[in-house]
Amino acid sequence: MKKNSLLIMLLLPLIIGCGPKNNPSRNTSNDTPTEFVYSLEKSVFENYQSFNQYQETLLVNKSQLTSNVAISDLTNMYFKNKADFIISLQEDLNNNEERKAQFIEDIGEEEVTYLLNVDTSKMFINLQYHDVDKDKITSNVSNILDAISNKESTSLFFGKIDTFFDDYREVIEMNRLINIYADLFIDNEDYQVKKDELDILYNNLLNDYKKMFQGLLSDDAYVDKAVEYFELTKEDVEFFLSTKVYEDDVMKLFDEETTLENSFSDTLKIPARNELYLQLVNQRKKIATRLGYDNYLEYVYSDVYDRSYSIDDSRALLDNILKYFPKIYYKAMNSLINSSSYLTKITELDLLKSFDFAVNICPQAEQSIRDLKMYGYYNFDNRTNKYSGSYQTTLDANEEKNYIFISTNGDIADYPTVFHELGHYLASEVYDETKVGDKFDLDIAEVDSQGLEYLMGNYFHLFMDDYDAKQLNKIQISNALWTIMSGSTIASFEDYIYTSEEELTLDSIQAKFNEIADSYIYPYSFGYDAFTGDYYYSVVPHIFSSPGYYISYVNSIIPSLLLWANPDLEEAKNQYNTIVSYGTTNDFVYVLNQANLKSPFEESVIVDIYNKMSGLF
């Protein structure tokens, strides 16, 4: 096992933000279109052209569908068609040099070489989920830990650690798939149950993984053999010895927390979600107390996100936000009322074509974007039985396959969401391996995404008419204000929830959220109950699944807006590419310094952004 594989596998749980070949439990529609048929009676180029036109027609047709089943069926057909076509194309070209030579003349040798090298087994449509042998895996882990504790000969259990690595990879990959399945089909109870089981197994294996290596590397009897066998450097040893390992009773608390978190998708009514949130908060306070922290927010800043800035730094930033932005936010929201651009419809085909324009900002991303579309590492379905959020995640233990999950609305407001997640995708694909750090940094990951999102406004006019381009830029900056104000609202709310020493009740939580929401985003919020006068907080998935996350949206959007505000586009693009080159494994402020961008914790930076935005509304 090489060191990079070991470190990546440890970092993976932090990297995910958050496919079905089919959904086997659902019914199929009766009006499935005829599948594309490859014909040897036509030239390769004619097949190629006809296939691309057919696939484009499928995507346009899909935008007209309203049935969840019909949409899902058409998505599966689209990706199955692509896999079948590539196989037929490769067989044709490999069996007939004359047809291959003509096809090269038609579309170019580079494109033909690419098509011949596509591995259809790696397409998302062909990735198969299977249940893992939990008992076998946990038994092997127990045997390894017992062997280390009993100081047995390494010859007796090093091989078992290699087996553990294989098992761990399998769990990672099946966990990724079942999480995507569960989000693609939130009405599938089997997926939800399997997701909960694998999330818990995964978290426990991660802890056992660290426990194994701490046992090996802290014991003079094992350390030299372990370093040699696993090819570890001095830095690797320090990394493993410094990482936190939790006792069994703490892991039980984490397991209980995970089960509560995963109940979110099954809990649809606001009162029930509020109850669930209070249970989660109490569970998390137990975790913080058990681990010796003064409060749960301190725990997530330290152990979960490994932030280099403090809670007080965040509070000062939130004070500056509240000092400058509420008035301009109100003006921006009013300016968007009755905006007809929200009615401008687009299709999945439009979204896929827009990807190609991202190379204007990140030229090195061309191959990764090509692979994303070819291998089908995305889902843009607009369905009601699909998780309503969007994210990017990895599909395998070595981060060779990355996936974008987006819930679309079918209008031009989908473009910023797509570019946001594409920014995450590119940061996982085109980073400089010589700059890989030793942590996962959530804040810089969000600059990767939001930076691309706001820089792409410079190119909207290339794939939409001028009116829509101007309106979408206005919408996007209004969305930036929404991110700042809503992010500040949730961050302030969670600060209160997790640092307050008073006993929380449903009434006290609601009252505090109403107070904070009125301060930051009145009169617009996450939803409003006209009868009670309460704002909805439990509609925000992050407060269930990723506590303490929202402050990173606020921190990261400030440098992203510095890129947007830079009058020198080429300089801004260079700054963005510097940030992306560091991936997600280096400290937030450090990477900003490398890109010559100021820290959001400086009040002067907030003033500069405020002044720039004020001129637009």
Side-chain angles (χ1 to χ4, degrees):
M1 174 61 61
K2 297 291 186 181
K3 86 164 183 182
N4 283 348
S5 297
L6 285 167
L7 296 179
I8 287 173
M9 289 165 76
L10 278 174
L11 288 169
L12 262 172
L14 297 175
I15 291 177
I16 66 168
C18 186
K21 177 177 179 291
N22 286 294
N23 178 16
S25 68
R26 57 182 174 80
N27 296 321
T28 57
S29 63
N30 295 320
D31 56 351
T32 303
T34 304
E35 296 181 2
F36 180 85
V37 177
Y38 192 97
S39 174
L40 293 177
E41 296 180 0
K42 298 179 180 178
S43 71
V44 182
F45 183 64
E46 287 175 320
N47 276 293
Y48 182 70
Q49 275 192 317
S50 297
F51 173 74
N52 288 331
Q53 291 169 358
Y54 178 80
Q55 291 287 87
E56 289 187 0
T57 300
L58 284 186
L59 294 182
V60 173
N61 289 344
K62 189 166 76 167
S63 67
Q64 307 302 316
L65 300 175
T66 57
S67 162
N68 288 332
V69 172
I71 293 170
S72 180
D73 280 344
L74 207 57
T75 297
N76 284 330
M77 170 171 284
Y78 177 85
F79 290 123
K80 182 179 183 299
N81 281 347
K82 180 169 287 189
D84 291 345
F85 175 78
I86 293 297
I87 291 172
S88 297
L89 179 75
Q90 290 174 344
E91 289 177 353
D92 189 1
L93 296 178
N94 287 327
N95 291 331
N96 192 314
E97 287 297 322
E98 184 177 342
R99 286 169 68 85
K100 178 180 176 181
Q102 180 58 52
F103 193 43
I104 289 174
E105 186 175 328
D106 290 331
I107 69 169
E109 186 171 4
E110 181 183 350
E111 180 67 15
V112 173
T113 300
Y114 177 78
L115 292 170
L116 283 170
N117 287 325
V118 171
D119 183 351
T120 56
S121 69
K122 293 182 179 179
M123 288 183 168
F124 189 74
I125 190 74
N126 290 325
L127 300 182
Q128 297 281 354
Y129 171 82
H130 61 263
D131 292 330
V132 300
D133 191 337
K134 178 181 176 181
D135 291 339
K136 184 201 77 169
I137 293 171
T138 54
S139 175
N140 185 47
V141 169
S142 180
N143 289 336
I144 294 170
L145 293 174
D146 286 345
I148 294 173
S149 177
N150 296 330
K151 299 188 182 300
E152 293 181 12
S153 170
T154 56
S155 62
L156 298 177
F157 67 86
F158 268 19
K160 292 181 179 179
I161 294 181
D162 286 333
T163 299
F164 168 79
F165 288 146
D166 293 336
D167 291 340
Y168 189 43
R169 285 193 194 93
E170 180 186 22
V171 170
I172 286 174
E173 291 170 10
M174 292 307 102
N175 179 254
R176 297 294 181 268
L177 283 177
I178 200 61
N179 270 270
I180 293 173
Y181 286 15
D183 286 341
L184 285 172
F185 302 99
I186 60 175
D187 54 352
N188 187 306
E189 293 183 5
D190 185 50
Y191 288 167
Q192 307 307 321
V193 170
K194 291 181 184 297
K195 174 182 182 294
D196 189 49
E197 292 174 350
L198 265 185
D199 282 350
I200 290 173
L201 176 61
Y202 179 32
N203 291 335
N204 279 275
L205 287 182
L206 174 63
N207 193 62
D208 289 334
Y209 188 172
K210 294 184 283 189
K211 190 182 295 183
M212 281 180 206
F213 275 84
Q214 285 200 355
L216 288 172
L217 299 174
S218 61
D219 193 320
D220 291 340
Y222 293 136
V223 60
D224 291 338
K225 292 180 180 179
V227 167
E228 179 182 1
Y229 187 83
F230 298 107
E231 302 179 27
L232 302 177
T233 66
K234 179 181 177 181
E235 290 75 20
D236 298 332
V237 173
E238 292 174 353
F239 177 83
F240 282 110
L241 290 177
S242 63
T243 192
K244 291 192 177 182
V245 174
Y246 300 109
E247 299 298 328
D248 291 345
D249 66 311
V250 177
M251 293 307 299
K252 183 180 179 182
L253 292 173
F254 286 144
D255 293 347
E256 293 167 353
E257 179 192 24
T258 297
T259 298
L260 288 171
E261 288 174 354
N262 289 340
S263 299
F264 172 77
S265 60
D266 299 325
T267 310
L268 302 180
K269 295 182 181 290
I270 295 296
R273 281 190 173 180
N274 292 351
E275 291 271 8
L276 176 61
Y277 184 61
L278 181 56
Q279 292 180 58
L280 257 175
V281 168
N282 289 332
Q283 180 71 15
R284 287 167 175 163
K285 289 191 172 186
K286 289 180 185 177
I287 291 171
T289 299
R290 170 60 182 83
L291 294 176
Y293 286 93
D294 290 339
N295 58 69
Y296 184 77
L297 199 61
E298 282 190 3
Y299 158 72
V300 293
Y301 266 59
S302 173
D303 285 21
V304 178
Y305 301 126
D306 191 18
R307 287 174 170 145
S308 60
Y309 55 88
S310 68
I311 294 173
D312 286 339
D313 290 332
S314 295
R315 288 171 177 166
L317 172 60
L318 294 173
D319 286 344
N320 286 331
I321 297 294
L322 191 57
K323 182 177 179 181
Y324 292 101
F325 281 96
K327 288 183 180 180
I328 185 178
Y329 172 76
Y330 182 84
K331 289 172 62 179
M333 293 302 105
N334 277 338
S335 73
L336 291 179
I337 293 175
N338 299 321
S339 172
S340 61
S341 286
Y342 275 115
L343 302 177
T344 304
K345 300 299 182 183
I346 61 173
T347 68
E348 185 170 318
L349 178 61
D350 296 316
L351 292 176
L352 289 172
K353 288 182 175 179
S354 74
F355 276 7
D356 296 332
F357 293 96
V359 299
N360 287 289
I361 293 170
C362 193
Q364 67 272 33
E366 183 174 6
Q367 185 62 46
S368 294
I369 292 172
R370 191 184 200 181
D371 289 342
L372 170 69
K373 294 193 284 188
M374 172 59 70
Y375 287 90
Y377 293 154
Y378 62 89
N379 184 283
F380 298 158
D381 285 357
N382 182 3
R383 293 187 277 107
T384 58
N385 66 337
K386 176 183 174 183
Y387 169 60
S388 61
S390 300
Y391 59 82
Q392 173 270 335
T393 187
T394 56
L395 292 171
D396 64 331
N398 295 320
E399 292 192 272
E400 293 177 353
K401 299 190 287 287
N402 294 283
Y403 184 90
I404 293 178
F405 181 104
I406 296 178
S407 293
T408 56
N409 296 312
D411 58 41
I412 63 170
D414 287 334
Y415 283 120
T417 303
V418 164
F419 291 127
H420 180 105
E421 302 306 335
L422 183 62
H424 282 308
Y425 178 87
L426 297 182
S428 298
E429 291 276 328
V430 299
Y431 62 88
D432 185 340
E433 292 186 1
T434 66
K435 297 178 180 178
V436 172
D438 61 358
K439 61 177 286 188
F440 173 76
D441 195 288
L442 176 61
D443 297 78
I444 206 63
E446 290 298 337
V447 180
D448 294 331
S449 58
Q450 294 186 101
L452 182 65
E453 178 183 348
Y454 292 106
L455 283 174
M456 280 304 300
N458 293 283
Y459 300 96
F460 287 162
H461 66 283
L462 298 180
F463 52 92
M464 64 184 76
D465 64 41
D466 287 343
Y467 175 79
D468 277 349
K470 290 176 181 177
Q471 288 301 305
L472 185 55
N473 268 301
K474 193 172 183 179
I475 291 168
Q476 193 173 18
I477 298 308
S478 298
N479 286 341
L481 283 165
W482 161 255
T483 298
I484 292 170
M485 304 309 292
S486 64
S488 298
T489 299
I490 296 300
S492 296
F493 175 64
E494 289 192 300
D495 188 328
Y496 163 76
I497 290 295
Y498 291 119
T499 64
S500 173
E501 296 182 358
E502 67 182 78
E503 183 176 349
L504 298 176
T505 65
L506 291 173
D507 288 341
S508 67
I509 290 174
Q510 185 65 67
K512 190 63 177 182
F513 188 76
N514 289 345
E515 175 190 332
I516 294 172
D518 278 338
S519 298
Y520 280 103
I521 57 175
Y522 180 81
Y524 304 95
S525 70
F526 300 93
Y528 181 76
D529 187 323
F531 182 74
T532 64
D534 291 330
Y535 293 113
Y536 297 148
Y537 60 88
S538 58
V539 297
V540 182
H542 290 68
I543 68 172
F544 290 87
S545 62
S546 306
Y549 189 113
Y550 250 75
I551 188 63
S552 291
Y553 282 135
V554 182
N555 287 340
S556 58
I557 199 171
I558 301 303
S560 300
L561 289 172
L562 288 175
L563 294 173
W564 162 80
N566 191 338
D568 186 338
L569 179 58
E570 290 305 311
E571 181 183 48
K573 286 158 60 173
N574 289 335
Q575 289 175 312
Y576 177 75
N577 283 304
T578 296
I579 291 168
V580 169
S581 73
Y582 282 90
T584 57
T585 60
N586 288 276
D587 178 71
F588 174 59
V589 176
Y590 169 77
V591 175
L592 294 184
N593 286 336
Q594 303 312 302
N596 197 28
L597 286 170
K598 294 180 179 179
S599 165
F601 303 113
E602 299 177 27
E603 184 174 356
S604 61
V605 173
I606 304 300
V607 173
D608 288 344
I609 295 297
Y610 170 77
N611 288 336
K612 174 74 174 180
M613 291 180 130
S614 294
L616 300 178
F617 302 102

